[in-house]
Amino acid sequence: MGFISDKEITEEDVKHIANLAKIDLDEVEIKKFKKQFNDILDYFNKIDEAETEGVEPTYHGLNLKNVTREDEVKDELSQKEALENANESEDGFFKSPRVKE
């Protein structure tokens, strides 16, 4: 393999990724994802072989520009108005569910 990775993705790598994503995979799925991950890395390595000498870097294939409006100063919302549509609020703040680790 080339620039992207000189290491092949292993079944242990797939299990680790699945654990991070909090998904359960059976052995068939682990083997399938291992092949797919390695195929993706092979494609990246193939792209890495392309001759790019003298080619300007680009982030988009078309010559487009972002069209934005001018910032306009407007009256701000009061705290009460901002919280009117909140499902839950507490002590003048938005209340959201706890983030689980």
Side-chain angles (χ1 to χ4, degrees), residues 8-61:
E8 184 173 290
I9 300 293
T10 65
E11 290 183 14
E12 288 304 311
D13 294 326
V14 175
K15 290 176 186 176
H16 179 71
I17 293 166
N19 183 49
L20 292 173
K22 307 254 188 268
I23 57 175
D24 292 323
L25 299 176
D26 61 32
E27 287 303 312
V28 172
E29 292 170 319
I30 290 170
K31 290 179 187 327
K32 178 180 175 181
F33 279 113
K34 175 187 171 201
K35 180 183 180 333
Q36 289 176 341
F37 283 142
N38 283 305
D39 287 347
I40 290 167
L41 291 178
D42 287 343
Y43 288 128
F44 276 114
N45 289 321
K46 194 142 204 80
I47 290 169
D48 197 39
E49 295 171 7
E51 180 57 50
T52 58
E53 188 69 34
V55 177
E56 287 290 319
T58 182
Y59 297 100
H60 198 284

